[in-house]
Amino acid sequence: FLASVKEGVTGVIVNLTVRDQDDPATGAWRAVYTIINGNTGQSFEIHTNPQNNEGMLSVVKPLDYEISAFHRLMIKVENEDPLIPDIAYGPSSTATVQITVEDVNEGPVFHPNPMRVTKQENIPIGSKVLTVNATDPDTLQHQTIRYSIYKDPAGWLEINPTNGTITTTAALDRESLHVQNDTYTALFLAIDNGHPPATGTGTLHITLGDVNDNVPSLYPTLAKVCDDAKDLRVVVLGATDKDLPPNTDPFKFELSKQSGPEKMWRLAKLNDTHAQVILLQNLKKANYNIPISVTDSGNPPLTNNTELKLQVCACKKSKMDCSATDALHISMTLILLSLFSLLCKSFP
């Protein structure tokens, strides 16, 4: 029997026919097939077709043309039931199956796949990430390979189409939404020049090391208090930082210096991430902006200067009325800064 199959394909490739003069649909007629030689890689299997007693020879493991273009199998067939004693001929019959493997253009393969590399998130634009390596399984065809980007979610990378060198085109950011578990994933293609061209896909995982590139943020930014409050502990402030330790807490909370005859508030640190704003006296009904700076523990540290909006409201019978506030009150520091700016403009 002769058969041909394309490399990389599985399924039935040839049906072996037999003749048996016993009564059909009995054990004396039904055939049992066995591969007795040539199936070294266990790439083939044979099963009986119950309808016509033919042997269906199948490829169960894809064949590789570059490893072997030809296979030769020896198949034995016998009945389910043993022959009666004293028969002049043997209980089985054999046949040879010659299989030709047809070459197909296979896609290039990346080594390794997936590819892994670790980089700091602040590396300069144009930095080399790595050079990928893909080989073509079609070694007998001597094909060339070109590389391209298949999926680069943040648009941070480019690849040299000839030598496979990947470089950055933008700043890498560990805190980006495109980064999961500190890892950025991109996909690349290797395309050969066969007919038709075949493509292989490679996955790159870039683990990003953290640097202190995010200022801490303060919350909340709004607080309300009654003008006759007995408890002058206005609000507990918290700070968060998108960076990783040691570029986060402990945070340093500071209050801008207050000038004038009376200081109206102060900050008390509670722990590494929280501080409390405390009024030093009851204030008139108005809106106040309290300038606060919070600094992380990175090297170098980063500071965020922000303002807490404090609404002092009238409170009657447990109801807070903040609707008709007086003119905006600001700290004396801001007033002095405004006056200084005006004087600079008037007297160059």
Side-chain angles (χ1 to χ4, degrees), residues 255-323:
L255 192 64
S256 296
K257 294 182 179 180
Q258 303 174 67
S259 302
E262 295 183 350
K263 294 184 178 180
M264 296 182 289
W265 43 68
R266 69 181 178 89
L267 268 180
K269 184 174 180 179
L270 298 179
N271 52 39
D272 288 346
T273 57
H274 291 80
Q276 191 167 50
V277 177
I278 302 173
L279 296 184
L280 301 179
Q281 57 183 305
N282 287 110
L283 301 178
K284 294 181 180 180
K285 181 180 178 183
N287 292 335
Y288 299 83
N289 288 335
I290 303 177
I292 297 172
S293 66
V294 55
T295 304
D296 62 28
S297 295
N299 185 21
L302 296 179
T303 299
N304 182 18
N305 296 304
T306 186
E307 288 185 341
L308 169 68
K309 183 177 181 181
L310 175 64
Q311 290 185 330
V312 179
C313 308
C315 299
K316 294 180 180 180
K317 298 180 180 180
S318 302
K319 291 185 178 181
M320 184 175 285
D321 179 15
C322 303
S323 57

Side-chain angles (χ1 to χ4, degrees), residues 73-89:
L73 303 180
M74 181 70 72
I75 310 294
K76 179 182 74 172
V77 62
E78 55 191 350
N79 290 128
E80 288 185 359
D81 294 344
L83 293 176
I84 61 173
D86 302 325
I87 296 296
Y89 44 84

Side-chain angles (χ1 to χ4, degrees), residues 1 16 18 34 36 73-78 91-97:
F1 293 88
L16 280 65
V18 294
T34 307
I36 59 175
L73 303 180
M74 181 70 72
I75 310 294
K76 179 182 74 172
V77 62
E78 55 191 350
S92 63
S93 178
T94 60
T96 299
V97 181

Side-chain angles (χ1 to χ4, degrees), residues 110-218:
F110 284 86
H111 305 281
N113 195 17
M115 301 160 281
R116 302 182 187 276
V117 68
T118 299
K119 297 291 179 180
Q120 289 293 101
E121 63 174 328
N122 65 338
I123 60 175
I125 296 174
S127 297
K128 177 181 174 180
V129 178
L130 85 162
T131 298
V132 301
N133 178 36
T135 58
D136 196 326
D138 301 301
T139 55
L140 301 180
Q141 298 185 26
H142 305 290
Q143 296 174 340
T144 59
I145 296 175
R146 294 184 66 82
Y147 300 95
S148 65
I149 293 176
Y150 177 53
K151 187 176 292 185
D152 178 17
W156 291 342
L157 306 172
E158 67 179 1
I159 187 169
N160 185 301
T162 304
N163 62 25
T165 298
I166 298 172
T167 53
T168 62
T169 59
L172 307 182
D173 183 9
R174 190 197 65 84
E175 293 77 33
S176 168
L177 295 176
H178 300 290
V179 176
Q180 301 295 325
N181 298 322
D182 302 334
T183 301
Y184 181 70
T185 301
L187 302 179
F188 295 87
L189 299 178
I191 307 168
D192 65 26
N193 62 340
H195 301 283
T199 301
T201 304
T203 301
L204 171 62
H205 296 303
I206 306 176
T207 300
L208 295 174
D210 186 46
V211 297
N212 194 24
D213 59 350
N214 289 275
V215 297
S217 58
L218 198 69

